[in-house]
Amino acid sequence: MEIVKESFEYRVYSSMDELSHEDQELMQIAIDQLDFAYAPYSKFHVGSAVRLEDKSIYKGSNQENASYPLCMCGERVALYSAAADKPNIAPKSLAITIKNIQMPIEKPVSPCGACRQVISEYEFRHHTRIRILLKSDSPEVYEVDTVADLLPLGFNGTFL
Ligand code: THU
């Protein structure tokens, strides 16, 4: 028997001011998207923005439904919107932010398992890594280099 240890690193910026101009712009768009979330059930707003290789930006926010399983996460809305419009252009960076209307959330929240799997699919499809920026109510921003860090031993098309 062998024990395999996997670890990953992520960067913590004390505020958006420490980000590149491009990343500040992307995160600000994600923040603006919080107002477009349709989250009457959870009161948990998610805003997102994805920048593609050609520098274009696609926006997303979570969209809920009275039939709860139909709710769609904000990051997937942005990624699917981009893929529907520019299927051959790789996503390069994804900003995600949240606002829980019922209580402040200080620590950056990272994508749910389903979204990790979807982000992973776009990395696989485009043979690329997608940088992920995360922010909640506090000024700090986390930066993860690839969703593979958030989804170790992930499942992808190489198995099919
Ligand atoms: N949600 C997202 O938009 N992204 C995630 O990664 C986690 C959860 C949404 C789905 C639902 O509208 C609300 O947040 C509460 O789960």
Side-chain angles (χ1 to χ4, degrees):
M1 193 272 276
E2 183 192 350
I3 294 180
V4 179
K5 193 172 174 186
E6 280 204 55
S7 63
F8 81 102
E9 290 179 357
Y10 61 99
R11 285 170 286 284
V12 179
Y13 298 94
S14 56
S15 83
M16 279 172 63
D17 297 342
E18 286 185 15
L19 300 177
S20 68
H21 180 72
E22 279 200 340
D23 284 351
Q24 284 182 31
E25 181 195 22
L26 197 67
M27 184 55 82
Q28 189 54 55
I29 291 170
I31 292 168
D32 294 344
Q33 283 299 300
L34 290 171
D35 291 337
F36 294 85
Y38 176 62
Y41 305 107
S42 72
K43 315 258 190 273
F44 186 85
H45 291 214
V46 180
S48 69
V50 59
R51 189 189 295 279
L52 308 189
E53 201 159 28
D54 68 357
K55 305 286 183 197
S56 58
I57 292 174
Y58 287 81
K59 305 169 184 178
S61 56
N62 55 326
Q63 302 296 320
E64 298 190 344
N65 194 286
S67 176
Y68 290 176
L70 302 183
C71 294
M72 180 54 65
C73 293
E75 45 279 64
R76 270 185 278 166
V77 171
L79 285 164
Y80 290 158
S81 170
D85 198 35
K86 294 192 177 163
N88 299 318
I89 314 288
K92 297 306 288 183
S93 39
L94 174 65
I96 306 166
T97 188
I98 62 100
K99 179 95 198 157
N100 186 333
I101 301 303
Q102 297 171 113
M103 61 177 178
I105 306 283
E106 299 301 328
K107 214 176 134 200
V109 171
S110 60
C112 74
C115 287
R116 292 175 200 211
Q117 185 68 29
V118 167
I119 300 165
S120 169
E121 186 70 31
Y122 288 111
E123 289 199 347
F124 177 75
R125 176 178 180 179
H126 293 285
H127 310 286
T128 193
R129 303 203 306 171
I130 301 174
R131 218 160 37 83
I132 303 172
L133 297 163
L134 304 169
K135 185 181 178 307
S136 295
D137 286 312
S138 69
E140 68 179 6
V141 177
Y142 291 179
E143 179 184 44
V144 179
D145 284 331
T146 164
V147 75
D149 287 339
L150 303 179
L151 194 64
L153 301 180
F155 181 77
N156 63 41
T158 57
F159 301 117
L160 299 173

